[in-house]
Amino acid sequence: MKMSQSPWLLHYDGSSCNGCDIEVLATTTPVYNLERFGVINTGNPKHADIFLITGGINSQNAPVVKQIYDQIPDPKVVVAVGICACDGGIFKECYNILGGVDKVIPVDIYVPGCAARPEAIIDGVQKAVVLLDKKRQQMDAAVRPAAGRA
Amino acid sequence: MVWQKTLQVILFLVLAPFAGGLLSGLDRKVTARFQGRQGPPLLQPFYDLAKLFRKQSLVVNKLQTFLVGGYFVFSVFTGCLFFAGGDLLLAFFAMTLGEVFFIMAACSANSPFSAMGTQRELLQIMCSEPMLLLAAIGFYKVTGSFMVDEIVGTRVSPVAYLPGMFLGFLFILTIKLRKSPFDLSTSHHAHQEMVKGTTTDLTGNVYALIELAEWYEEVLLMGYIALFVINREWWSIPLAVLVCLLCYFFEILVDNVFPRVKWDKMFRSAWLVTLVFGGVNLLVLLCVRLIH
Ligand code: SF4
């Protein structure tokens, strides 16, 4: 059984206009039905595998995003949803915006769009899920040679 | 005799997780269909468990891991006692001890979400436990024994004498299966209000143990339901399985029809239901006994 068969997702709203958040929620409705891939929308970083962020990073939420990222156990994947989360988007020039999510934590998948369409978000989650397996394999590979030496 | 009992225990230990996992999978599938969604695969709970075992474990403190282990052991032990035909009261006490371990594990995390979850967990125990005890007394009054293997040997299914108890048990089953109220910390729905309550700080394989213990407990509760139906005839066993499945379906229905019942409603209604259904049933039994 692979990690990718059970991706639990944590949704965090950075400084989005809420447009992308509505679309993220739309993916869990009967029409788009993200749960058919085994996705659970959890509110707990300690149970999450995928960290899904909407909106850009400002000085107030930067430490929050960093802390949530640290609380998610490995392997984990970060998905930036919407152009704001990708690089600041329409708010990029604002005095309070530092930029996209990758200003504070490493981002694995970028989902563009303003707002990102539900289909695109599902696509992003699907890519994230593949990456999750890859990261687990890397973890195993890192452990095995070390065990061999011991 | 000893061999038979050992076999029963081994069968329970091996088969219960599969049965519990399948029931959970069925639950998610049926719930999704109720809501017009396709739902995850039937085996999803097994995928979830396998994933949890492969995730990194962030241990908050060592004591917590030990306490979660205690909860797991006593949950399984309760089931073993029950399915080996043991004493209902002893099973009841073992289950309570397991719950104490669980609550202590949550308390040891020192997180406000865990603390809040613990309070609700205690309320839940307060609400559901009296009915369990009353049902055990009901079984004793009808069959003259607290031993499970003597209760299943009766001539007439106990439910014929204990219809009130059965209804009361169905009511607390909603709480025990973590269906409703939704804002109980262990409920499968309360994701946002207090994060994940008692299990907020558990990760990886430690959290997986909790899930596994839940599956054992689910099977135990179904066993309780079966106890109401089984008598010495062979056909009562398939009938009991059917009744268990129907009850489980009923609980899923209740979960979907009343998705927003809160803990205070549970607190106000559980004892009333226990008293009206369980208490009156017991009273009638005692009166009939006196007249005879
Ligand atoms: S990408 Fe567009 S819709 Fe999404 S948060 Fe930014 S401005 Fe709003």
Side-chain angles (χ1 to χ4, degrees), chain B residues 98-139:
Chain B
E99 271 158 2
V100 171
F101 267 99
F102 181 52
I103 283 170
M104 293 303 287
C107 283
S108 76
N110 205 9
S111 121
F113 299 116
S114 294
M116 206 158 105
T118 337
Q119 287 167 9
R120 301 236 173 124
E121 190 65 19
L122 281 170
L123 279 178
Q124 179 264 107
I125 293 175
M126 239 177 94
C127 291
S128 59
E129 233 67 332
M131 188 65 232
L132 281 177
L133 200 59
L134 216 58
I137 296 172
F139 282 124

Side-chain angles (χ1 to χ4, degrees), chain A residues 15 56-58 83-100 103:
Chain A
S15 55
I57 298 294
N58 57 35
I83 201 68
C84 288
C86 292
D87 81 332
I90 196 168
F91 304 114
K92 194 171 181 160
E93 308 294 316
C94 290
Y95 67 94
N96 60 331
I97 294 286
L98 304 178
K103 284 274 186 286

Side-chain angles (χ1 to χ4, degrees), chain B residues 28 38 41 70 73 94 118 134 173 177 179 199 203 210 220 280 291:
Chain B
R28 279 181 74 177
Q38 189 190 341
V73 168
T118 337
L134 216 58
L173 193 65
L177 286 176
K179 294 277 173 223
T199 54
T203 46
I210 298 265
L220 173 71
V280 169
I291 293 166

Side-chain angles (χ1 to χ4, degrees), chain A residues 6 35 46 49 74 136, chain B residues 37 48 51 54 56 201:
Chain A
S6 155
E35 205 206 358
K46 294 195 171 177
D49 308 294
D74 282 325
R136 178 70 238 186
Chain B
R37 294 183 291 112
D48 290 347
K51 188 235 9 218
R54 303 196 67 209
Q56 178 193 17
D201 269 304

